[in-house]
Amino acid sequence: MKILHILSQHPESTGSGYYLQNMLRQAARHGHRNMLIAGISQDWAPQIDGVDARDCRFVRFTQPPLDFPIPGMSDVMPYPSSRFAKLTAEQLNAYRQAFRKVIGEALDACAPDIIHSHHLWLVSAITRQLAPEIPMMTSCHSTDLRQYQLCPHLQEQVHTPCRQIDRILALSRDQAKMIETLYGIDPGRIEVVGGGFATELFSCPVKETPPPIRLLYAGKLSFAKGVDSLLQAFARIADRHLELHLAGSGSGSEAAHCLRFAERIGPSVVLHGRVDQSHLAQLMGQAHIFILPSLYEGLPLVLLEALASGCRIITTALPGCLELLDQVDRTQVSFIPLPVTHTIDRLTPVEQESFACDLARSISAMADLVRDTPNPTNAAERTTITRHYTWEAVYTRILKGTELA
């Protein structure tokens, strides 16, 4: 079978790109021919497995007529990007026309048997309009739902076409309900398939006996991920035996703020920058505690990687986080109450102060547990949870009900 995969942004660097790459690998292993359309920055040289370079077509930004940074599904991306909410009418028109041209050319040249797009947003809507007769499935990654809420002026352009997509692939039960509510899509066409992680990379080594106790955050350096609140919490903990490791990058003023804050705290905060999966697996193997203070997530696969790596986990009580880890022993995972926000992922100074206090208390309590028992004791529990989230298992669920099975 010929599968056309479509992503509007870099096919690397973010959760949706990581998801896409694993779908390409799985499809190739099953003998299918992959074709790819993706948006990239002009100077970007993507490294992609599972698809021949001759079957890749890119929409390139920062060159006319797309003479602006690539719009990101998150408002803060790990590379220079634009925000959909800030695009002018001329930029939006150029964006639509560029993708229409490349998608139309690919459909004519490749005649795919099935289309797998990512995000219930503009490019998936364009694809459905151009190819109404080709079976199509779209993976939701939650950032699309956020853009739908942040950009009401664009809802009309995506609402009807996205309702005509044959199958919607959701990461979690909560996300499936949000898709049904926001888009009015028949729940019978929404499948909860989850996400996966690289089981060959992430495993549980013997943890070093502290001190130091190593805390790890991995992800974008942004306020929506709670990194500023995490640094505020860490700065107030008077425990010289704690180290906070930050793995990830960002762009713009938010990333710059986080980096300046980390430097002010001093050498107990270790900056690793953007890391690949192998390096992240190494850091998780060394970490005693993984912390995800995010204000908005779908199904955070990084929590599965941390769990498989034997990390105790501190995370906000988002629905996707609870869906993954609610059955884990509370000596191994701590859920921080989600602060009441005045926008989707922004905190007022009062809200941030309260949130930072909650984070600091949880970090101190979990550090005490690490001192008593550096290595986790829940091996059977970890295996029961993580085996549902291999990429092979996810791919099998995606194939269910399609001609690709």
Side-chain angles (χ1 to χ4, degrees):
M1 303 287 284
K2 292 181 292 184
I3 312 171
L4 177 59
H5 303 260
I6 303 177
L7 179 68
S8 65
Q9 56 192 22
H10 289 197
E12 302 167 296
S13 308
T14 63
S16 58
Y18 179 52
Y19 197 110
L20 165 69
Q21 295 241 6
N22 280 281
M23 291 300 97
L24 291 169
R25 294 187 189 105
Q26 290 294 329
R29 288 171 188 166
H30 285 76
H32 304 299
R33 178 187 171 189
N34 291 315
M35 297 162 286
L36 172 66
I37 294 172
I40 61 172
S41 302
Q42 174 62 20
D43 58 352
W44 196 262
Q47 302 295 316
I48 307 170
D49 295 330
V51 60
D52 192 289
R54 293 170 296 182
D55 288 326
C56 295
R57 296 168 184 260
F58 299 113
V59 176
R60 296 184 180 274
F61 286 78
T62 64
Q63 66 176 14
L66 300 174
D67 53 352
F68 51 93
I70 183 170
M73 293 306 301
S74 295
D75 282 351
V76 176
M77 300 293 286
Y79 47 80
S81 62
S82 301
R83 297 187 180 191
F84 280 104
K86 300 295 184 180
L87 294 181
T88 66
E90 292 76 14
Q91 289 172 329
L92 281 166
N93 183 60
Y95 180 92
R96 288 191 295 266
Q97 292 304 317
F99 272 102
R100 285 184 68 88
K101 180 177 184 294
V102 173
I103 294 169
E105 291 172 350
L107 292 171
D108 290 340
C110 305
D113 297 296
I114 193 167
I115 298 170
H116 185 177
S117 73
H118 293 264
H119 299 114
L120 287 165
W121 196 233
L122 293 173
V123 170
S124 290
I126 291 168
T127 304
R128 179 75 296 182
Q129 291 169 327
L130 290 174
E133 303 302 324
I134 299 176
M136 179 175 173
M137 54 187 175
T138 298
S139 291
C140 178
H141 296 279
S142 283
T143 49
D144 38 0
L145 306 184
R146 181 180 183 278
Q147 291 299 333
Y148 189 91
Q149 294 169 293
L150 288 175
C151 302
H153 62 295
L154 298 178
Q155 289 178 4
E156 185 177 351
Q157 298 178 34
V158 301
H159 188 267
T160 299
C162 285
R163 291 182 66 187
Q164 296 168 353
I165 294 170
D166 300 290
R167 287 180 77 222
I168 309 300
L169 308 177
L171 294 173
S172 66
R173 294 187 297 271
D174 180 74
Q175 187 190 77
K177 293 176 182 176
M178 287 188 66
I179 294 168
E180 181 185 352
T181 299
L182 290 176
Y183 290 82
I185 293 174
D186 180 356
R189 291 192 287 117
I190 303 172
E191 300 283 346
V192 179
V193 299
F197 73 103
T199 53
E200 68 276 14
L201 287 178
F202 296 92
S203 59
C204 183
V206 176
K207 304 288 184 180
E208 290 187 9
T209 301
I213 295 175
R214 295 186 178 93
L215 286 76
L216 173 66
Y217 164 82
K220 289 193 286 283
L221 302 182
S222 71
F223 296 169
K225 292 289 187 179
V227 178
D228 54 334
S229 299
L230 170 59
L231 289 166
Q232 184 176 332
F234 189 76
R236 67 177 59 195
I237 300 174
D239 188 336
R240 291 177 296 174
H241 295 151
L242 290 180
E243 290 180 355
L244 174 60
H245 294 253
L246 300 179
S249 61
S251 61
S253 60
E254 294 186 12
H257 171 88
C258 293
L259 292 173
R260 287 194 301 268
F261 200 159
E263 290 173 359
R264 288 201 304 270
I265 294 174
S268 60
V269 179
V270 182
L271 300 171
H272 295 274
R274 182 184 172 193
V275 300
D276 60 21
Q277 285 282 289
S278 295
H279 191 180
L280 177 59
Q282 180 184 5
L283 293 174
M284 284 189 170
Q286 296 167 348
H288 300 95
I289 301 169
F290 182 81
I291 185 160
L292 182 68
S294 185
L295 303 176
Y296 190 87
E297 291 283 347
L299 191 76
L301 303 178
V302 70
L303 294 182
L304 293 171
E305 296 165 345
L307 184 68
S309 300
C311 298
R312 286 179 166 87
I313 295 172
I314 299 172
T315 183
T316 39
L318 290 161
C321 301
L322 290 167
E323 188 167 323
L324 281 176
L325 302 177
D326 196 32
Q327 301 305 311
V328 178
D329 186 275
R330 288 304 184 265
T331 63
Q332 308 298 318
V333 61
S334 175
F335 291 104
I336 306 298
L338 192 65
V340 177
T341 59
H342 67 291
T343 61
I344 292 176
D345 53 13
R346 291 291 186 272
L347 299 177
T348 65
V350 172
E351 293 165 348
Q352 186 173 49
E353 174 68 19
S354 176
F355 185 42
C357 287
D358 288 342
L359 285 169
R361 282 193 292 268
S362 187
I363 291 170
S364 296
M366 195 65 84
D368 289 340
L369 292 173
V370 170
R371 289 187 183 92
D372 292 339
T373 311
N375 287 284
T377 58
N378 62 334
E381 189 176 61
R382 289 199 312 273
T383 301
T384 298
I385 293 172
T386 57
R387 68 186 177 192
H388 185 70
Y389 295 101
T390 67
W391 283 115
E392 180 69 31
V394 173
Y395 188 73
T396 299
R397 290 193 289 273
I398 289 176
L399 294 187
K400 182 180 178 183
T402 74
E403 296 181 12
L404 297 176

